[in-house]
């Protein structure tokens, strides 16, 4: 029986070190991703509000009046089911000025 002396490959210790390094990198990366998700939601909502504001202005030019969200949907200025911010917050249109804002819910005490 011959003794094999030249074996190529990774040892168990080398694989454990690689897994340790990958785990440390993941532990560093995950908190950064979750920390930025709130910022991403906020910027997404701001962009959506600007887009809806443009649709309100288009409606005002066409119909000569300030629309509601329902009127924008029924006249195909907005898609059905896409009347809230991507993070789920409700938007509102001021009936006098036509300004689109995020609806602020005040908690009851």
């Amino acid at each position: 029986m011959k003794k094999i002396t030249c074996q190529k490959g990774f040892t168990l210790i080398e694989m454990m070190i690689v897994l340790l390094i990958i785990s440390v990198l993941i532990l560093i990366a995950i908190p950064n991703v979750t920390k930025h998700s709130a910022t991403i939601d906020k910027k997404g909502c701001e962009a959506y509000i600007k887009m809806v504001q443009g649709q309100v202005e288009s409606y005002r030019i066409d119909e000569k009046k300030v629309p509601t969200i329902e009127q924008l949907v029924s006249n195909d200025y907005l898609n059905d089911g896409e009347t809230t911010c991507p993070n789920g917050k409700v938007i509102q249109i001021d009936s006098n000025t036509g300004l689109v804002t995020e609806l602020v819910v005040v908690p009851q005490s």
Side-chain angles (χ1 to χ4, degrees), residues 11-22:
T11 65
L12 183 60
I13 298 296
E14 291 170 330
M15 293 300 291
M16 296 293 283
I17 290 171
V18 169
L19 287 174
L20 176 70
I21 291 171
I22 291 172

Side-chain angles (χ1 to χ4, degrees), residues 21 23 30 33 38 46 67 71 75 85 87 99 102:
I21 291 171
S23 299
I30 298 256
V33 170
E46 289 172 0
Q71 289 171 330
N75 291 322
C85 284
N87 60 2
L99 186 64
E102 185 178 315

Side-chain angles (χ1 to χ4, degrees), residues 1-71:
M1 199 184 258
K2 291 184 185 179
K3 185 176 181 182
I4 301 174
T5 58
C6 184
Q7 293 183 344
K8 295 184 179 183
F10 294 108
T11 65
L12 183 60
I13 298 296
E14 291 170 330
M15 293 300 291
M16 296 293 283
I17 290 171
V18 169
L19 287 174
L20 176 70
I21 291 171
I22 291 172
S23 299
V24 169
L25 291 175
I26 288 174
L27 287 173
I28 291 170
I30 298 256
N32 289 334
V33 170
T34 57
K35 181 172 60 173
H36 292 295
S37 67
T39 305
I40 292 168
D41 285 343
K42 181 181 175 189
K43 291 195 183 272
C45 192
E46 289 172 0
Y48 184 74
I49 287 174
K50 287 180 183 178
M51 189 273 304
V52 172
Q53 185 67 54
Q55 296 301 73
V56 167
E57 295 304 320
S58 294
Y59 187 92
R60 286 174 71 176
I61 290 170
D62 293 342
E63 304 293 329
K64 310 289 189 256
K65 63 180 182 174
V66 177
T68 63
I69 295 289
E70 292 77 21
Q71 289 171 330

